[in-house]
Amino acid sequence: MNNKQYSFSIHNFHGRQAPEPGLLVGYAAIIEAHQLQVPLPQKLALISKKNRRYSTSAWQVLTPRHTPEDNLYKQLVFALKYEGINLLLIKTLFTHIDKDHITNMITSEALGQYSRKLWFLYEWLLNEQLDIPDLKTGNYVPLLDQKLQYAITGTNSARHRIINNLPGTREFCPLIYKTDKLEAYINAQLAKQKNKYLANFQTSILQRASSFLLLKDSKASFSIEQENPGTNRAIRWGKAIGQAGSKPLSIEELERLQQIIIENARFVKLGLRKEGGFVGEHDRLTGEPIPAHISAKEEDLLSLLNGLVKANQRMQDEGFDAVLAAAAIAFGMVFIHPFQDGNGRLHRYIIHHILAKKRFTKQGVIFPISASILDHIEDYRKVLESYSHPLLDVIEWEATSDHNVKVVNETIDFYRYFDATKQAEFLYDCVSDTLNRIIPEEVNYLLKYDEFKAFIDENFEMPDKLLATLVRFLEQNEGILSKRALNKEFSALTENEVKAIQEHYNKIFLDV
């Protein structure tokens, strides 16, 4: 164990091109030395031979003075200090090395903050105590470095003199790195901006906007799944979205919501899966599965979802950002993929639920996040694949007789401990788009509609239903009434009246 080489020079690593030749260190060096079967961290650490320090999307480059000693403990200390905590990698490492070696590493610097962090993590992750006596002295040290990763307020572990500020539990704990984008969004206080904007409008306008946005969000959520629901089905799911935040998140609640989503359950087994699952295609000739994403094993679902529910409770901490919580829980749920069908819509429901529960949005005031996701569907697919595709390299599976997949290695930790940074950035992009484009567009449309209605009421006394038809025809034909419309529904209009209606519509709606 002590003779392993950790740091070594590279030009690329597992197909990832380095920005310059350098010395591989930290988590990547540990993965290589111990041949750990885990997805690569989104950012790897490299010591520059050119004495430069900078960062790219995939690499953190440091200077030679940052080079750690070539042993496991010092590589772990480097990783904790500069790369943050990677729960999946650390737990996998702990299960690959001798317990006595871990104990010796920790006791070599018993009061050091990094040895205490490793001590806490071993006992927390493996639920097993090491033969080390409780600490009696020393300041409490936060487990997560909040300069690197987002944390909750936390609770003290007297045994280790550590503040456990992890935003989750042993059963489920995604982590999110601090980035310039996320910090900019959080500091912008988007929810306050939204409330200030909406305060300028009458309650009646906002109520009407909410009704339209409710249906818009519901239909968008189905469209993302390439479904075209009838209006009644969309309204039914829209009502469920409108109640988001009113009930606690639980497995039972998710099962209830799935029943609302699945209109015809003849071919779908409702409730938690009793077999394997995947997202992808089947070979057209053989029927063999071609997975793009492999779901959590069916026997792991209860543990994962119970952990997800408890993690959601921890993230109700006032200091933990609402959008970050929504990203960690909602994307965690869709990665687990606990149901045979309906996972995507439940995933987006959870976003609504957490934003309402943490008062980012007001309960009952619709926040059409699905409409923004639909408008950015390619980015949505990429952010899902950024998690799913690396997993395909470390999940072992075989095809079943009914053309499903059966996972044959242990995978539960892949769904418990993942980096949700990209998912959080994507969700914040959609939140910003919803606040700055989608909601204002709907409110402004209704204001224009009312202005046009006032003109029609004053001059034509047209029934509301016929007015709605008039606007729809004008929208469909770029402000001009078609010959068919003039010959049928609006044959009573004179040529001058048609001209006046078109001019007012174009002035109000199209600014021409």
Side-chain angles (χ1 to χ4, degrees), residues 87 124 166-175 311 415-418:
L87 293 173
W124 188 83
L166 291 168
T169 69
R170 183 183 298 111
E171 289 76 25
F172 183 83
C173 189
L175 296 177
Y415 304 91
R416 283 175 169 162
Y417 312 128
F418 62 91

Side-chain angles (χ1 to χ4, degrees), residues 247-257 272 305-306 308-310 312-313 333 339 346 349-350 353:
K247 296 182 179 180
L249 188 65
S250 67
I251 296 175
E252 294 73 22
E253 176 65 1
L254 292 175
E255 290 178 328
R256 181 187 74 84
L257 291 165
L272 299 184
L305 290 179
N306 281 323
L308 182 144
V309 168
K310 291 175 184 175
N312 176 57
Q313 293 167 358
M333 183 269 173
F339 300 103
L346 288 172
Y349 171 88
I350 290 173
H353 172 86

Side-chain angles (χ1 to χ4, degrees), residues 312-458:
N312 176 57
Q313 293 167 358
R314 280 180 71 81
M315 291 182 200
Q316 295 305 309
D317 181 279
E318 288 188 5
F320 200 78
D321 181 78
V323 180
L324 301 187
I329 299 298
F331 278 95
M333 183 269 173
V334 84
F335 293 155
I336 294 167
H337 231 69
F339 300 103
Q340 192 179 76
D341 194 16
N343 296 284
R345 277 149 292 181
L346 288 172
H347 147 73
R348 291 181 290 278
Y349 171 88
I350 290 173
I351 295 172
H352 287 284
H353 172 86
I354 293 175
L355 293 182
K357 201 74 175 174
K358 287 182 71 70
R359 298 186 180 87
F360 186 92
T361 60
K362 292 182 180 178
Q363 187 187 328
V365 176
I366 302 307
F367 191 76
I369 192 77
S370 296
S372 180
I373 292 173
L374 181 60
D375 288 345
H376 299 89
I377 193 68
E378 285 306 313
D379 292 331
Y380 185 49
R381 290 196 181 105
K382 286 177 183 176
V383 85
L384 292 172
E385 291 170 356
S386 72
Y387 167 83
S388 297
H389 283 187
L391 276 194
L392 296 176
D393 294 330
V394 292
I395 293 179
E396 300 169 17
W397 61 274
E398 55 191 30
T400 64
S401 59
D402 60 349
H403 306 305
N404 198 350
V405 302
K406 179 177 176 59
V407 175
V408 296
N409 62 327
E410 289 299 319
T411 62
I412 190 169
D413 289 338
F414 298 150
Y415 304 91
R416 283 175 169 162
Y417 312 128
F418 62 91
D419 180 351
T421 306
K422 287 186 177 180
Q423 290 74 30
E425 288 187 334
F426 170 79
L427 186 59
Y428 243 127
D429 282 341
C430 291
V431 165
S432 177
D433 179 52
T434 302
L435 292 173
N436 294 309
R437 179 179 66 88
I438 292 176
I439 292 176
E441 279 181 357
E442 188 60 44
V443 171
N444 291 336
Y445 176 87
L446 289 177
L447 292 172
K448 290 176 179 179
Y449 189 96
D450 287 351
E451 184 181 350
F452 185 67
K453 182 179 185 302
F455 163 75
I456 295 295
D457 286 347
E458 184 177 345

Side-chain angles (χ1 to χ4, degrees), residues 257-275:
L257 291 165
Q258 189 206 22
Q259 292 179 359
I260 298 174
I261 294 169
I262 308 300
E263 189 173 41
N264 188 337
R266 286 192 304 156
F267 304 108
V268 176
K269 296 175 184 176
L270 295 177
L272 299 184
R273 282 186 288 108
K274 305 297 183 186
E275 57 189 8

Side-chain angles (χ1 to χ4, degrees), residues 152-198:
I152 64 169
T153 303
T155 54
N156 290 346
S157 172
R159 172 168 165 76
H160 315 87
R161 298 282 167 165
I162 287 288
I163 302 169
N164 176 13
N165 56 358
L166 291 168
T169 69
R170 183 183 298 111
E171 289 76 25
F172 183 83
C173 189
L175 296 177
I176 299 172
Y177 282 88
K178 286 196 172 179
T179 66
D180 290 342
K181 174 184 275 192
L182 289 176
E183 284 294 276
Y185 274 136
I186 291 169
N187 292 332
Q189 297 184 307
L190 297 181
K192 289 184 179 179
Q193 289 183 26
K194 175 207 65 173
N195 292 337
K196 186 177 180 180
Y197 166 78
L198 294 179

